[in-house]
Amino acid sequence: MKKWILLNFIVLLFSVIVTSNYLKDIDDSLIWAKNLSANDVQSIEMVISPSDRENHYKNFSSKDFDAIIKILNSSMGHKANTSAELGSTITLYITTKEGNVHTYQNLRNAYLVIDDIYFSADRSWLASSFRDFKGDASLPDGFFQRVTGITTTYGLMKLGKNGKVLSPLSPLEGTYRQLAEYTVFSYLIKSTLYPPQDIDSFDACYMLRVIYSSKNSNSSHDYYLFTMNGDTYMQNGKDGSNAKVGTDLYNRIDTLLNSFN
């Protein structure tokens, strides 16, 4: 009898340890996804990157909610460190009836990202779950401001050697703003990155400054656009990685700034 009691105690202790470790690995964001109901949802929107401008966005009908929620309820994966790699993404913006906006993202069929929490997930599950998601519209004006509550302002400067400002233009509006957004977007979707270059050593380059404003704070981030060995690159800050972008973007920005000077 004592042996059975001891054995049952060991089995119970093992179960507690396993359950405790399992629960530790489940983040609140994953629990939210697994328990979400279509009745909780006000709207579901999607952004696909990269994609053609005309297929960058989709606003799902309420009749699509059940199928999408089914995917969220089957979410799986183990918490992982934030990935520094860029790549193709499909992001769902889910607004609840309480007015909260959650993000649910497939990053390169390698990571499931829920509200900025990364999970290493099964590639085949990610690929099959998101395979039928297709965009059917351009991104609406003010979309990111609406879902994040953050206002972005773009400024453009032409820089000379040692970072000397030659020609400033700010803020960018209308089609000029769209050009700035698309140029940064073209960098962010690249998966091949290169070591940083010494920006101050170039005789000429362009800097796109993005200013983020929320209710209580402002912050800015700089992207540098330059040509090297016949190709055009964009660099994330002075010390960040760079990636090749279309030379036509550099030429359009060059034409834009020259038209004001």
Side-chain angles (χ1 to χ4, degrees), residues 192-261:
T192 302
L193 302 177
Y194 303 96
Q197 296 293 318
D198 180 6
I199 297 299
D200 291 339
S201 68
F202 291 103
D203 291 331
C205 70
Y206 289 100
M207 182 183 77
L208 277 171
R209 172 162 289 171
V210 189
I211 301 174
Y212 303 96
S213 303
S214 61
K215 290 182 179 179
N216 301 314
S217 63
N218 293 314
S219 62
S220 64
H221 196 84
D222 296 335
Y223 295 91
Y224 296 89
L225 193 67
F226 56 87
T227 58
M228 186 172 62
N229 300 324
D231 292 313
T232 300
Y233 297 81
M234 174 163 271
Q235 182 162 302
N236 184 359
K238 285 195 172 183
D239 301 318
S241 301
N242 61 69
K244 289 183 180 180
V245 296
T247 303
D248 62 308
L249 293 173
Y250 184 94
N251 293 336
R252 289 168 65 187
I253 284 178
D254 184 67
T255 300
L256 165 63
L257 202 51
N258 287 335
S259 67
F260 283 87
N261 294 280

Side-chain angles (χ1 to χ4, degrees), residues 151-224:
T151 302
T152 55
T153 305
Y154 289 83
L156 176 64
M157 300 180 191
K158 185 172 184 178
L159 305 180
K161 200 125 183 172
N162 297 317
K164 181 181 179 181
V165 177
L166 302 178
S167 303
L169 180 61
S170 181
L172 300 179
E173 302 291 351
T175 56
Y176 305 139
R177 176 190 171 92
Q178 292 176 3
L179 174 60
E181 290 176 335
Y182 187 68
T183 304
V184 174
F185 170 72
S186 297
Y187 164 78
L188 293 175
I189 64 176
K190 299 298 183 181
S191 57
T192 302
L193 302 177
Y194 303 96
Q197 296 293 318
D198 180 6
I199 297 299
D200 291 339
S201 68
F202 291 103
D203 291 331
C205 70
Y206 289 100
M207 182 183 77
L208 277 171
R209 172 162 289 171
V210 189
I211 301 174
Y212 303 96
S213 303
S214 61
K215 290 182 179 179
N216 301 314
S217 63
N218 293 314
S219 62
S220 64
H221 196 84
D222 296 335
Y223 295 91
Y224 296 89

